[in-house]
Amino acid sequence: MRILVVGGGGREHALCWAIAASPLCEALYCAPGNAGIAQDAECFPIAADDVDGLVAFATEQAIDLVVVGPEAPLVLGIVDRLEAAGIIAFGPRADAAMLEGSKGFMKDLCDRHGIPTASYGRFTDAETARAYIREQGAPIVVKADGLAAGKGVTVARTVDEALDAVDQAMNDKAFGDAGAELVIEEFLPGEELSFFALVDGETALPLAGAQDHKAVGDGDTGPNTGGMGAYSPAPSLTPELEAEVMGTIILPTVRGMAADGYPYHGVLYAGLMLDGGRPKLLEYNVRFGDPECQVLMMRLRSDIVPALVASCDGTLSNFDLRWSNDAALTVVLAANGYPGAYQKGTEIRGLDAAAATGATVFHAGTAADGETIRATGGRVLNVTARGPSIAEAQANAYAAVDAVDWPNGFCRRDIGWRAVACEA
Ligand code: AMP
Ligand code: GLY
């Protein structure tokens, strides 16, 4: 098959790395890709949200399968467009991508189909939103309805903080059109867990558990980021909990979407809150987690390509994916200053030395400048290693991190700490 991966981050590098290993893959392209992805795929400088450009490229190159990494092109309808051009595409169509593209859509779906989630209201008017907050009290959570690059959620500890969040979204338009509507919801206490399943319209196949660390600082302190590291398996995801999440959240969603006329295809990433051991849905993403995908790909033993195709054509019920018994752990190296302002274009050395330790270095934000590799993003490298336990995978990943020579970058030194404490 001729395969195109859309995106240019660490998630897409891990997808390209796994797809390139498939005997079914004859030619692999990535748009826009990055300097690391270029080792596994031929990269073309078409932006991930340039739907017209990507559809034209896929048509010209006679691509058989397009695998879409990020949410933006999915919400823009890239899958609908590729299907209309006769090209198989992994990911939901635009209407089903609303599960991530509109938090209100997601909450209404939960309401219609009895899926456990925080109680909520939807608001397009600031005064009504304020009145709801005063009536409910704090803590309370204010969310921009649309895509806001992970920044549209305020977990407000006080009523004033929640009222400020309404002002920022609706008066200051801090999230543009994404904040024209708000979802205001009940604060759920507990422990967060990510859950991933492949979905083919009717059937869902759970993937291995994975957990990320969103906070920038050690001990899960400081501002939230896209994710500073991840590990798999997730010790809190027991077989019993997996069965409960499938039965009460994932399958009712898949059936509900089909019954409502928006059959879901692709990967469904549920952000869950465990309160007293019971899972409730915080959010859906319509794509793989980044950097969770990196650890999932490191543990996947089966060929990923047939599973991706089966998600598209509705034959997932025949599948049983095999996973390594080893754990995997990835450490994100980010540019100094991230998630605030950071310098671009700084030189990275020591990548060969890091790989020589046995780890795999996925690139998240790099570009080649002749023989030199330069940082181009906030999250730049995902140093990923396996080991018989999470503690050993962690030690292996940090041994490779220490071989990277990049004075302009930093990382957390405690990725996996909760899981390592569980193992001890
Ligand atoms: P979301 O993008 O909806 O996952 O929200 C981002 C983060 O905000 C989540 O990962 C949680 O840490 C937190 N969060 C979102 N909704 C709630 C809620 N209802 N209760 C408590 N925390 C929440
Ligand atoms: N790691 C969190 C995300 O991909 O949204």
Side-chain angles (χ1 to χ4, degrees), residues 160-305:
D160 282 345
E161 217 180 307
L163 296 175
D164 278 350
V166 171
D167 280 344
Q168 275 176 28
M170 289 191 150
N171 298 338
D172 306 346
K173 307 216 177 341
F175 314 113
D177 290 346
E181 178 169 348
L182 298 177
V183 167
I184 302 182
E185 67 181 38
E186 171 196 8
F187 171 82
L188 297 176
E191 186 194 340
E192 280 186 61
L193 174 70
S194 306
F195 190 92
F196 299 89
L198 291 180
V199 180
D200 73 352
E202 286 181 13
T203 314
L205 178 66
L207 301 178
Q211 192 61 52
D212 77 340
H213 291 265
K214 290 214 173 68
V216 73
D218 283 9
D220 294 313
T221 55
N224 268 358
T225 68
M228 292 301 291
Y231 54 91
S232 173
S236 52
L237 186 65
T238 59
E240 296 72 32
L241 181 58
E242 178 180 297
E244 184 173 354
V245 172
M246 287 298 287
T248 63
I249 297 177
I250 303 292
L251 290 172
T253 298
V254 173
R255 290 191 201 111
M257 292 289 282
D260 293 349
Y262 319 110
Y264 189 92
H265 295 260
V267 59
L268 192 54
Y269 160 4
L272 306 173
M273 191 66 92
L274 300 181
D275 183 12
R278 292 265 94 88
K280 283 189 177 174
L281 181 67
L282 284 183
E283 64 159 349
Y284 271 133
N285 297 299
V286 298
R287 51 174 176 81
F288 281 104
D290 186 350
E292 293 95 319
C293 183
Q294 289 78 315
V295 288
L296 292 180
M297 293 304 116
M298 286 290 279
R299 290 190 60 222
L300 183 61
R301 277 277 151 82
S302 309
D303 185 348
I304 191 175
V305 173

Side-chain angles (χ1 to χ4, degrees), residues 342-388:
Y342 53 82
Q343 201 184 344
K344 287 191 182 174
T346 58
E347 182 177 350
I348 302 165
R349 294 197 200 90
L351 291 171
D352 290 341
T357 68
T360 302
V361 182
F362 294 119
H363 290 219
T366 63
D369 172 11
E371 295 293 300
T372 305
I373 302 292
R374 296 196 186 274
T376 56
R379 292 190 293 172
V380 172
L381 299 171
N382 308 144
V383 179
T384 314
R386 275 190 290 245

Side-chain angles (χ1 to χ4, degrees), residues 7-324:
R11 167 181 52 208
E12 289 76 24
H13 191 179
L15 288 170
C16 285
W17 177 81
I19 291 169
S22 168
L24 296 171
C25 179
E26 287 160 36
L28 182 58
Y29 302 95
C30 186
N34 64 39
I37 293 175
Q39 293 159 13
D40 294 305
E42 197 175 338
C43 296
F44 287 83
I46 309 168
D49 58 0
D50 177 2
V51 172
D52 289 340
L54 292 165
V55 173
F57 176 81
T59 306
E60 280 157 24
Q61 295 291 330
I63 298 293
D64 301 300
L65 170 67
V66 176
V67 180
V68 185
E71 64 279 11
L74 294 167
V75 171
L76 290 171
I78 191 170
V79 170
D80 311 59
R81 293 278 307 280
L82 288 164
E83 285 180 350
I87 299 168
I88 301 173
F90 176 80
R93 298 179 191 131
D95 53 11
M98 291 292 277
L99 275 183
E100 179 168 358
S102 165
K103 296 198 189 278
F105 174 96
M106 182 280 265
K107 299 296 287 190
D108 288 352
L109 177 103
C110 289
D111 195 38
R112 276 197 304 280
H113 299 287
I115 296 162
T117 188
S119 62
Y120 71 107
R122 297 180 71 167
F123 303 92
T124 50
D125 165 69
E127 207 35 62
T128 325
R130 287 191 202 101
Y132 182 78
I133 289 168
R134 290 199 188 94
E135 179 195 311
Q136 298 290 321
I140 193 161
V141 184
V142 180
K143 302 184 171 185
D145 181 75
L147 293 184
K151 297 193 173 72
V153 174
T154 304
V155 179
R157 278 152 303 170
T158 64
V159 166
D160 282 345
E161 217 180 307
L163 296 175
D164 278 350
V166 171
D167 280 344
Q168 275 176 28
M170 289 191 150
N171 298 338
D172 306 346
K173 307 216 177 341
F175 314 113
D177 290 346
E181 178 169 348
L182 298 177
V183 167
I184 302 182
E185 67 181 38
E186 171 196 8
F187 171 82
L188 297 176
E191 186 194 340
E192 280 186 61
L193 174 70
S194 306
F195 190 92
F196 299 89
L198 291 180
V199 180
D200 73 352
E202 286 181 13
T203 314
L205 178 66
L207 301 178
Q211 192 61 52
D212 77 340
H213 291 265
K214 290 214 173 68
V216 73
D218 283 9
D220 294 313
T221 55
N224 268 358
T225 68
M228 292 301 291
Y231 54 91
S232 173
S236 52
L237 186 65
T238 59
E240 296 72 32
L241 181 58
E242 178 180 297
E244 184 173 354
V245 172
M246 287 298 287
T248 63
I249 297 177
I250 303 292
L251 290 172
T253 298
V254 173
R255 290 191 201 111
M257 292 289 282
D260 293 349
Y262 319 110
Y264 189 92
H265 295 260
V267 59
L268 192 54
Y269 160 4
L272 306 173
M273 191 66 92
L274 300 181
D275 183 12
R278 292 265 94 88
K280 283 189 177 174
L281 181 67
L282 284 183
E283 64 159 349
Y284 271 133
N285 297 299
V286 298
R287 51 174 176 81
F288 281 104
D290 186 350
E292 293 95 319
C293 183
Q294 289 78 315
V295 288
L296 292 180
M297 293 304 116
M298 286 290 279
R299 290 190 60 222
L300 183 61
R301 277 277 151 82
S302 309
D303 185 348
I304 191 175
V305 173
L308 298 176
V309 172
S311 305
C312 301
D313 69 14
T315 54
L316 210 49
S317 52
N318 306 333
F319 267 84
D320 187 20
L321 292 173
R322 286 177 301 111
W323 300 92
S324 167

